[in-house]
Amino acid sequence: MTYWFDGPLAAFDTETTGVDVEEDRIVSAAVVVQDTPGGRPRVTRWLVNPGVPVPPGATEVHGLTDDHLQRNGRWPAPVMEEIARSLAEHCAAARPLVVMNAPFDLTILDRELRRHRASSLGRYLQNSPLCVLDPRVLDKHLDRYRKGRRTLTDLCAHYEVVLDGAHDAAADAAAALEVVRAVGRRFTSRLERLSPAELHTLQAVWHAAQARGLQAWFARSGTPEVVDPAWPLRPELPAAA
C-alpha cells in the first residue's frame, strides 16, 4: 500500500521583513515539489524587492540585504501572482501542500496579494481548495508530551532530517517536506487511514486546541501575547472605523 506521505508533495516557504503578517513583506519565496521519497525535487524560487527597507534583524536571519534585493529582486505584484497561481495549480492537482507554521506564510501571502493585486489567496483557490500539511501542528498533536521547542530546526533534529542552509526559503521548504514524510512514517498506525483532506480538517481543530493551551500558559505566566487559533489562514482584520 502506498500512503500519502510516500506520494507527491509540494512545500511552500517564505522569508520576510519581519514577523507581522499584517505589515511585513515577503522578500523571497520557494515552492519545492517531490513526487516520491528520495526523488529529485523540483524547485521554483522568487526574489522580491519589497519596496520597503529590510530591518537589520531580518537580514541577520536570512542574509538578504536592501542592496541585494534592489539589484536582483522583482517587483512584488507579478511575483505574488505567480506564487498564488503555483499554489493553486498544486491544489488543483491534488498535491498536498506542506507549509511549516502555515498561518504565517499563507497569511502574509494573502496580505501581499491584497496589497499588490487587490485580490486574496482565497480567490486564487476558489476552484481548488487548500489541502495543507503543517509539520508543526502534526508533530505537536501526535507527540504532544515531548518537551522542547518545535521550530523547523528542532523538528529536523528530532526526525533526523538534514537542514542545509536554514532560513533560505527553498532549503526550509525542502526540509519541512522531509519532516512531514518522517512524521508520517513514525506515526503510520495513527495516520494511515486518514487522507490529506481529512488531515487538513483535523489540523484546524488541533491547532485551535494548541492555541488555547498556549494562551492559557501565557495567562498563567503573565505574558500579554495573544495566540490566534485560526489555521491555515488568518481572517482579514476588520477595517478601522
Side-chain angles (χ1 to χ4, degrees):
M1 177 183 292
T2 300
Y3 302 117
W4 59 262
F5 46 83
D6 289 327
L9 296 174
F12 171 61
D13 189 72
T14 66
E15 296 299 330
T16 65
T17 60
V19 297
D20 184 341
V21 295
E22 303 298 337
E23 299 296 335
D24 282 307
R25 311 296 176 89
I26 293 172
V27 296
S28 70
V31 171
V32 176
V33 183
Q34 187 186 52
D35 294 325
T36 57
R40 184 174 182 176
R42 303 188 296 279
V43 182
T44 305
R45 295 179 174 87
W46 293 271
L47 192 66
V48 186
N49 179 352
V52 300
V54 180
T59 297
E60 288 178 10
V61 172
H62 49 58
L64 298 172
T65 64
D66 278 328
D67 181 67
H68 180 75
L69 293 171
Q70 289 171 12
R71 290 175 180 272
N72 302 286
R74 298 168 56 201
W75 290 114
V79 172
M80 301 311 150
E81 168 90 5
E82 290 172 16
I83 295 172
R85 288 190 180 279
S86 175
L87 300 190
E89 288 170 6
H90 291 302
C91 291
R95 191 175 290 120
L97 191 65
V98 175
V99 190
M100 173 73 185
N101 191 18
F104 179 83
D105 291 87
L106 295 180
T107 303
I108 201 167
L109 173 59
D110 176 79
R111 302 316 190 249
E112 289 278 55
L113 288 165
R114 294 174 188 273
R115 183 177 295 120
H116 296 291
R117 304 296 305 185
S119 186
S120 68
L121 185 56
R123 290 182 185 176
Y124 287 89
L125 298 170
Q126 58 187 350
N127 296 319
S128 46
L130 275 169
C131 180
V132 175
L133 299 170
D134 187 331
R136 185 175 183 275
V137 175
L138 291 170
D139 172 74
K140 196 169 184 179
H141 177 78
L142 294 164
D143 198 0
R144 67 182 68 183
Y145 299 114
R146 188 178 82 250
K147 295 186 182 299
R149 289 154 45 92
R150 300 186 194 237
T151 66
L152 179 60
T153 300
D154 298 317
L155 295 183
C156 286
H158 182 70
Y159 288 100
E160 300 181 341
V161 169
V162 175
L163 176 53
D164 187 9
H167 300 299
D168 168 83
D172 286 356
L177 188 153
E178 293 297 341
V179 167
V180 163
R181 292 201 191 280
V183 169
R185 289 190 293 269
R186 184 166 299 186
F187 297 100
T188 299
S189 62
R190 298 171 63 182
L191 297 175
E192 62 184 346
R193 292 183 175 84
L194 296 170
S195 69
E198 290 170 327
L199 272 175
H200 177 97
T201 300
L202 286 170
Q203 285 170 100
V205 177
W206 297 343
H207 179 271
Q210 292 163 10
R212 289 193 298 270
L214 183 57
Q215 190 71 74
W217 186 85
F218 282 155
R220 291 194 299 271
S221 62
T223 303
E225 186 173 345
V226 176
V227 184
D228 195 322
W231 184 95
L233 180 67
R234 296 175 189 169
E236 185 183 14
L237 291 175

